[in-house]
Amino acid sequence: MTLIGWAQIALVLILVVAAAVPLGRYIAAVASGRVTWLRPAEVLFFRAAGVDPERGQDWRGYALAMLAANAAGFVLLFAILRLQGMLPLNPQGFDGMSSWLAFNTAVSFVTNTNWQAYSGEAAVSYLSQMAGLAVQNFLSAASGIALALAVSRAFARGGVRELGNFWADFTRITLYVLLPLAVVVGLALVALGVPQTFAGYVTATTLEGAEQVIPLGPAAFQIAIKHLGTNGGGFFGVNSAHPFEGPSAVATAIQIWAQTVIPFALCLTFGRIVSDLRQGRALLVVMLGFVLAATAGIYAAEAAGNPLMTELGVDPAMGNMEGKEIRFGMPLVALFTATTTGASCGAVNAMLDSFTPLGGLVPLFLIQLGEVLPGGVGSGLYGMLVFVLLSVFVAGLMVGRTPEYLGKKVQAREIKLATLGVLVLPATILGLTAVSMVLPAAVSSIAAAGPHGLSEMLYAYTSAAGNNGSAFGGLTADTPWLNGTLAIAMLLWRFAFMVPVMAIAGSLAGKVKAPASAGTFPTHGPLFMGLLAGVILILGGLQFLPSLVLGPLAEHFAILAGKTF
Amino acid sequence: MPGSSIANGSFMSPAPIFPRFAGLCRKGSTMLDILLLSLGLGAFALMVAYVAGCDRV
């Protein structure tokens, strides 16, 4: 680790937080309908869809509208991917995706996961990229943010049933937040050399005289929303490690900024909606603390290098550079990896399979902590609020008071629903990994032996169930078993978590806010932040530590003993 | 670069894992399309039922 490396990390994070402050204020204004500079387009959408934006929905209406929008997106994307061979904008003449792969991909993009069992430049037409995948990048992100706004309103309102109108939130977030930001980031990426063209692939002759096909395409703007929406699905197979997807250190810094700015800004939006900015700041500080700790963990592990390589005479000064791009350098790889797994983005600018065991453990554990650090756009905030409720519940048990958060009493119903929600992740990850590790059809997909092989399978289900989408690698993912079960894992966490969260919001919105008293536990101070971080860590640790011991930790000690896999 | 490409780190494989169901796994199987669409929409229908279930908690 170097000082200049930490300076790079600090600079990017400062730029993220600096932008999150005004963006949080702006999203709060969008949520309240005060932003109107695209009013004609907004009204056009509402009229075409027959939506009355002023008509409020209770939690059931809001959740059902979200499910309807996402179900329609799934059918449309599945159809586009299956039929792309017959559709225009397909200069490479790609055939339709196989049924299993189209199913997995459609679920993946609708759930904001963007797990990819295909290589974009070898399997997906330009039309599928733009009208299929990119559209879902916007809409799945808008769904998550809309739900976060609805949950935030539940804490701000009292004695009501209505949480807002899903269609109004969904439209306004897409029009006023995601589209303008995507245009700005997309233009910046074009300026840095990312292609945005309908021209077909180019065949070049290399210096050795061999022929090389260079893929192109309308990449820049899809890459912009892939990061802003914490989607993560790469235009090219190796994602942001591709020289056209992440051409320079500046481009990768912009991508890190883009994949973290909205999740952090939404904390401040929450503070504004509940009229107590300190509450939003507390959530932001906890999230930022975890991001910094995870970055330090990855940076330290990778900078220390692989002792087996050092024994072979490789200079350890550069650290473990296998699977990493020289043009990014170790610090930005560490920060990118921590933010992409913490923020549920799933883009990669280095190959995680090549990380040291401890370096690979950190992103794996970050996803297992519930994708709330800072989490996906919207899903990070409402996921964090579930942990907040569990924290105040624990605090209430310790001091013998009815737990409260922002004046709302947290009672048995909310805790039962929160428990229902948080149990989905470990049940899905550990259950499906356990089955896959004994099923010959699934085990045959693993490339590596020993604990590294377990890490590959565990990471795949962790990534899918956490709606992250990054791959550890080394796994033959395009099989019916993995396409099917990974899709089920993605659907479960996305929606079986969203529904109880919305039920909690509905329950809280109906409660009258109690005024703060001398006995109220302050939820904006360092004591609460520490408690919240502890609850997140202990929940994650208890659920997943045994699997981490069998995978990356076992591999780490095996390497120290001179063994490799 | 089909066959050896890395998608987000994952290798592509055209071979069906379950030989018994190989017919279902071939490209262009309308029956499989209908089954998978039903599976996806069934999951959404299940979530609608889950909404009703959570309302009773």
Side-chain angles (χ1 to χ4, degrees), chain A residues 102-161:
Chain A
F103 172 67
N104 179 281
T105 308
V107 168
S108 176
F109 278 71
V110 165
T111 56
N112 200 260
T113 310
N114 295 31
W115 170 269
Q116 294 170 290
Y118 62 89
S119 191
E121 68 269 44
V124 186
S125 73
Y126 292 170
L127 184 88
S128 296
Q129 292 274 20
M130 293 189 305
L133 306 181
V135 167
Q136 289 309 315
N137 281 353
F138 279 99
L139 301 188
S140 64
S143 293
I145 300 175
L147 256 71
L149 297 179
V151 173
S152 302
R153 290 183 190 120
F155 288 99
R157 298 174 178 179
V160 299
R161 294 163 59 89

XYZ file of all heavy atoms in Angstrom, chain A residues 102-161:
434
model
N -31.690 -17.096 -22.058
C -32.580 -15.930 -22.152
C -33.368 -15.767 -20.853
O -33.567 -14.647 -20.368
C -33.529 -16.093 -23.336
N -33.795 -16.875 -20.267
C -34.538 -16.840 -18.991
C -33.656 -16.243 -17.896
O -34.049 -15.317 -17.188
C -34.975 -18.264 -18.630
C -35.566 -18.394 -17.257
C -36.780 -17.797 -16.942
C -34.917 -19.116 -16.264
C -37.330 -17.918 -15.670
C -35.454 -19.241 -14.993
C -36.661 -18.639 -14.693
N -32.445 -16.784 -17.801
C -31.522 -16.307 -16.772
C -31.218 -14.827 -16.970
O -31.231 -14.039 -16.010
C -30.234 -17.135 -16.828
C -29.208 -16.696 -15.805
O -28.521 -15.707 -16.003
N -29.102 -17.414 -14.702
N -30.968 -14.429 -18.213
C -30.592 -13.034 -18.491
C -31.760 -12.090 -18.237
O -31.576 -10.992 -17.687
C -30.084 -12.913 -19.935
O -29.067 -13.887 -20.150
C -29.529 -11.536 -20.215
N -32.975 -12.511 -18.629
C -34.143 -11.640 -18.425
C -34.382 -11.430 -16.923
O -34.576 -10.295 -16.469
C -35.377 -12.251 -19.089
N -34.330 -12.505 -16.162
C -34.504 -12.377 -14.709
C -33.391 -11.507 -14.121
O -33.616 -10.625 -13.295
C -34.501 -13.769 -14.034
C -34.394 -13.646 -12.520
C -35.754 -14.539 -14.408
N -32.185 -11.748 -14.612
C -31.012 -11.062 -14.096
C -31.118 -9.545 -14.259
O -30.830 -8.787 -13.329
C -29.782 -11.595 -14.840
O -28.633 -10.908 -14.466
N -31.548 -9.090 -15.430
C -31.606 -7.645 -15.674
C -32.845 -7.010 -15.038
O -32.805 -5.848 -14.635
C -31.517 -7.342 -17.174
C -30.093 -7.339 -17.674
C -29.374 -8.527 -17.788
C -29.441 -6.155 -17.980
C -28.049 -8.532 -18.202
C -28.105 -6.145 -18.394
C -27.415 -7.338 -18.505
N -33.937 -7.766 -14.932
C -35.135 -7.215 -14.298
C -34.921 -7.041 -12.796
O -35.449 -6.114 -12.187
C -36.357 -8.137 -14.587
C -37.522 -7.817 -13.677
C -36.778 -7.981 -16.041
N -34.121 -7.939 -12.206
C -33.897 -7.869 -10.757
C -32.706 -6.978 -10.392
O -32.289 -6.973 -9.235
C -33.648 -9.275 -10.181
O -32.547 -9.858 -10.885
C -34.861 -10.165 -10.313
N -32.161 -6.248 -11.371
C -31.023 -5.354 -11.121
C -29.761 -6.133 -10.738
O -28.853 -5.601 -10.119
C -31.370 -4.330 -10.027
C -30.465 -3.104 -10.060
O -29.525 -2.977 -9.292
N -30.734 -2.201 -10.980
N -29.717 -7.423 -11.099
C -28.552 -8.233 -10.761
C -27.481 -8.133 -11.847
O -26.313 -7.865 -11.574
C -28.959 -9.712 -10.596
O -30.079 -9.789 -9.734
C -27.820 -10.545 -10.039
N -27.905 -8.385 -13.093
C -27.016 -8.357 -14.251
C -25.907 -9.405 -14.177
O -24.779 -9.171 -14.599
C -26.421 -6.961 -14.472
C -27.483 -5.939 -14.830
O -28.618 -6.039 -14.398
N -27.132 -4.966 -15.635
N -26.234 -10.544 -13.601
C -25.375 -11.724 -13.738
C -25.385 -12.089 -15.215
O -26.435 -12.084 -15.862
C -25.961 -12.867 -12.893
C -25.304 -14.190 -13.137
C -25.691 -15.131 -14.048
C -24.161 -14.727 -12.467
N -24.858 -16.220 -13.984
C -23.912 -16.005 -13.018
C -23.335 -14.261 -11.446
C -22.868 -16.823 -12.603
C -22.294 -15.069 -11.025
C -22.060 -16.336 -11.597
N -24.233 -12.386 -15.771
C -24.161 -12.672 -17.201
C -23.496 -14.022 -17.440
O -22.307 -14.180 -17.167
C -23.359 -11.581 -17.919
C -24.053 -10.222 -17.875
C -23.135 -9.115 -18.362
O -22.179 -8.770 -17.684
N -23.428 -8.568 -19.522
N -24.254 -14.971 -17.972
C -23.684 -16.268 -18.334
C -23.363 -16.284 -19.823
O -23.355 -17.335 -20.450
C -24.659 -17.391 -17.971
N -23.155 -15.114 -20.388
C -22.819 -14.966 -21.804
C -21.775 -13.860 -21.897
O -21.526 -13.134 -20.926
C -24.056 -14.558 -22.611
C -24.598 -13.213 -22.175
C -24.133 -12.029 -22.760
C -25.512 -13.110 -21.131
C -24.575 -10.792 -22.323
C -25.956 -11.880 -20.696
C -25.490 -10.723 -21.293
O -25.913 -9.493 -20.851
N -21.185 -13.769 -23.073
C -20.239 -12.689 -23.317
C -20.912 -11.714 -24.284
O -21.289 -12.111 -25.394
C -18.962 -13.269 -23.920
O -17.952 -12.309 -23.925
N -21.091 -10.470 -23.874
C -21.880 -9.514 -24.653
C -21.497 -9.434 -26.111
O -22.359 -9.470 -26.999
N -20.194 -9.348 -26.387
C -19.764 -9.161 -27.772
C -19.892 -10.427 -28.610
O -19.728 -10.385 -29.826
C -18.315 -8.642 -27.822
C -17.239 -9.618 -27.349
C -16.942 -9.492 -25.865
O -17.909 -9.381 -25.087
O -15.760 -9.518 -25.489
N -20.171 -11.564 -27.960
C -20.271 -12.831 -28.689
C -21.691 -13.363 -28.747
O -21.923 -14.408 -29.337
C -19.365 -13.876 -28.028
N -22.644 -12.667 -28.143
C -23.973 -13.277 -28.056
C -25.142 -12.302 -28.149
O -26.273 -12.741 -28.324
C -24.097 -14.053 -26.739
N -24.892 -10.991 -28.065
C -26.022 -10.057 -27.928
C -25.979 -9.000 -29.032
O -24.952 -8.343 -29.234
C -25.987 -9.364 -26.540
C -27.233 -8.530 -26.347
C -25.890 -10.390 -25.428
N -27.103 -8.832 -29.737
C -27.175 -7.829 -30.816
C -27.247 -6.421 -30.229
O -27.547 -6.246 -29.041
C -28.412 -8.087 -31.677
O -29.579 -7.716 -30.964
N -27.026 -5.439 -31.077
C -27.096 -4.044 -30.615
C -28.520 -3.711 -30.142
O -28.714 -2.976 -29.169
C -26.690 -3.086 -31.730
C -25.220 -3.146 -32.126
C -24.752 -2.479 -33.263
C -24.297 -3.867 -31.366
C -23.412 -2.527 -33.629
C -22.957 -3.928 -31.725
C -22.515 -3.255 -32.856
O -21.185 -3.308 -33.213
N -29.527 -4.266 -30.832
C -30.904 -3.975 -30.429
C -31.178 -4.554 -29.039
O -31.783 -3.898 -28.186
C -31.905 -4.555 -31.432
C -33.345 -4.175 -31.099
C -33.713 -2.855 -31.738
C -34.333 -5.244 -31.516
N -30.702 -5.794 -28.814
C -30.913 -6.405 -27.492
C -30.207 -5.593 -26.411
O -30.731 -5.423 -25.306
C -30.377 -7.842 -27.464
O -31.095 -8.649 -28.353
N -29.012 -5.108 -26.735
C -28.277 -4.302 -25.754
C -29.061 -3.030 -25.405
O -29.191 -2.672 -24.244
C -26.890 -3.895 -26.310
C -25.909 -5.041 -26.496
C -25.104 -5.397 -25.240
O -25.492 -5.068 -24.138
N -24.005 -6.111 -25.421
N -29.574 -2.364 -26.464
C -30.186 -1.048 -26.233
C -31.647 -1.141 -25.791
O -32.031 -0.533 -24.795
C -30.106 -0.209 -27.510
C -28.681 0.173 -27.893
S -28.669 1.364 -29.227
C -29.618 0.550 -30.457
N -32.460 -1.887 -26.565
C -33.903 -1.922 -26.278
C -34.234 -2.943 -25.197
O -35.308 -2.887 -24.606
C -34.681 -2.248 -27.558
N -33.338 -3.881 -24.972
C -33.599 -4.895 -23.957
C -32.854 -4.631 -22.671
O -33.438 -4.225 -21.660
N -31.543 -4.808 -22.708
C -30.757 -4.762 -21.469
C -30.676 -3.352 -20.884
O -30.875 -3.164 -19.678
C -29.351 -5.318 -21.732
C -29.313 -6.729 -22.359
C -27.874 -7.196 -22.565
C -30.063 -7.728 -21.497
N -30.390 -2.351 -21.747
C -30.231 -0.985 -21.222
C -31.547 -0.464 -20.643
O -31.556 0.230 -19.618
C -29.725 -0.054 -22.314
N -32.664 -0.807 -21.300
C -33.968 -0.351 -20.793
C -34.203 -0.905 -19.387
O -34.617 -0.184 -18.469
C -35.099 -0.794 -21.762
C -36.462 -0.616 -21.116
C -35.016 0.019 -23.052
N -33.887 -2.191 -19.198
C -34.067 -2.770 -17.864
C -33.076 -2.183 -16.856
O -33.365 -2.136 -15.659
C -33.941 -4.295 -17.913
C -35.111 -4.965 -18.586
C -36.461 -4.519 -18.037
O -36.661 -4.429 -16.841
N -37.393 -4.205 -18.928
N -31.911 -1.766 -17.339
C -30.972 -1.090 -16.437
C -31.625 0.143 -15.818
O -31.472 0.419 -14.623
C -29.709 -0.659 -17.190
C -28.736 -1.806 -17.413
O -28.928 -2.894 -16.907
N -27.689 -1.559 -18.175
N -32.365 0.892 -16.651
C -33.062 2.076 -16.140
C -34.235 1.672 -15.235
O -34.396 2.194 -14.135
C -33.604 2.921 -17.298
C -32.560 3.806 -17.934
C -31.916 3.435 -19.101
C -32.237 5.025 -17.371
C -30.950 4.238 -19.687
C -31.276 5.850 -17.939
C -30.625 5.457 -19.107
N -35.048 0.740 -15.726
C -36.314 0.466 -15.039
C -36.115 -0.290 -13.716
O -36.836 -0.041 -12.749
C -37.269 -0.305 -15.965
C -37.613 0.440 -17.273
C -38.694 -0.294 -18.034
C -38.062 1.884 -16.997
N -35.131 -1.205 -13.687
C -34.908 -1.914 -12.412
C -34.339 -0.953 -11.381
O -34.679 -1.024 -10.192
C -33.977 -3.108 -12.617
O -32.700 -2.687 -13.034
N -33.495 -0.027 -11.840
C -32.949 0.975 -10.914
C -34.067 1.887 -10.415
O -34.146 2.192 -9.216
C -31.866 1.793 -11.609
N -34.949 2.298 -11.327
C -36.056 3.180 -10.935
C -36.985 2.472 -9.959
O -37.515 3.094 -9.029
C -36.822 3.641 -12.170
N -37.186 1.162 -10.147
C -38.039 0.399 -9.213
C -37.455 0.447 -7.808
O -38.178 0.674 -6.824
C -38.128 -1.076 -9.637
O -38.819 -1.205 -10.831
N -36.144 0.224 -7.704
C -35.493 0.222 -6.393
C -35.581 1.581 -5.728
O -35.910 1.682 -4.530
N -35.308 2.637 -6.495
C -35.347 3.987 -5.903
C -36.777 4.334 -5.485
O -37.005 4.932 -4.427
C -34.781 5.035 -6.885
C -33.320 4.705 -7.228
C -34.870 6.432 -6.293
C -32.702 5.603 -8.290
N -37.752 3.957 -6.322
C -39.156 4.261 -5.998
C -39.522 3.631 -4.656
O -40.145 4.277 -3.800
C -40.063 3.730 -7.109
N -39.131 2.376 -4.459
C -39.467 1.716 -3.196
C -38.770 2.386 -2.013
O -39.353 2.516 -0.929
C -39.099 0.231 -3.254
C -40.321 -0.662 -3.442
C -40.884 -0.525 -4.844
C -40.022 -2.104 -3.137
N -37.531 2.817 -2.227
C -36.816 3.507 -1.147
C -37.542 4.799 -0.776
O -37.629 5.159 0.413
C -35.379 3.799 -1.578
N -38.071 5.503 -1.768
C -38.811 6.740 -1.488
C -40.089 6.435 -0.715
O -40.446 7.134 0.236
C -39.139 7.474 -2.796
C -37.935 7.965 -3.613
C -38.398 8.645 -4.894
C -37.059 8.912 -2.796
N -40.772 5.356 -1.130
C -42.019 4.989 -0.445
C -41.733 4.633 1.019
O -42.469 5.052 1.923
C -42.674 3.818 -1.164
N -40.659 3.878 1.249
C -40.309 3.491 2.624
C -39.921 4.737 3.434
O -40.302 4.876 4.600
C -39.164 2.447 2.615
C -38.671 2.161 4.017
C -39.633 1.147 1.955
N -39.198 5.658 2.810
C -38.815 6.901 3.501
C -40.055 7.686 3.916
O -40.115 8.230 5.026
C -37.937 7.774 2.587
O -36.798 7.068 2.184
N -41.052 7.735 3.027
C -42.282 8.488 3.353
C -43.003 7.861 4.544
O -43.659 8.561 5.314
C -43.217 8.496 2.135
C -42.704 9.347 0.990
C -43.728 9.364 -0.153
N -43.146 9.974 -1.336
C -43.010 9.362 -2.501
N -43.434 8.119 -2.665
N -42.461 9.985 -3.529
N -42.867 6.538 4.680
C -43.542 5.857 5.791
C -43.042 6.371 7.133
O -43.800 6.433 8.102
C -43.318 4.354 5.693
N -41.761 6.740 7.183
C -41.203 7.273 8.442
C -41.589 8.733 8.643
O -41.592 9.227 9.767
C -39.675 7.142 8.431
C -39.198 5.724 8.589
C -38.816 4.978 7.487
C -39.135 5.122 9.837
C -38.383 3.666 7.617
C -38.711 3.815 9.987
C -38.330 3.083 8.873
N -41.865 9.424 7.528
C -42.172 10.854 7.630
C -43.647 11.099 7.940
O -43.999 12.080 8.562
C -41.794 11.554 6.323
N -44.512 10.206 7.465
C -45.948 10.424 7.614
C -46.464 9.709 8.864
O -45.835 8.781 9.351
C -46.682 9.904 6.369
C -46.264 10.645 5.117
C -46.868 10.036 3.868
N -46.458 10.821 2.698
C -46.820 10.523 1.456
N -47.580 9.484 1.213
N -46.413 11.294 0.451
N -47.611 10.110 9.301
C -48.199 9.467 10.463
C -49.693 9.305 10.304
O -50.372 10.218 9.805
N -50.218 8.154 10.661
C -51.660 7.911 10.618
C -52.239 7.889 9.225
O -53.409 8.230 9.029
N -51.442 7.529 8.240
C -51.951 7.457 6.854
C -51.668 6.064 6.279
O -50.900 5.283 6.833
C -51.305 8.522 5.939
C -51.607 9.910 6.420
C -49.795 8.308 5.846
N -52.303 5.776 5.155
C -52.070 4.497 4.483
C -51.256 4.684 3.204
O -50.614 3.771 2.723
C -53.408 3.858 4.111
C -54.236 3.441 5.326
C -55.696 3.205 4.942
N -55.841 2.183 3.931
C -55.978 0.877 4.186
N -55.980 0.464 5.415
N -56.104 -0.003 3.200
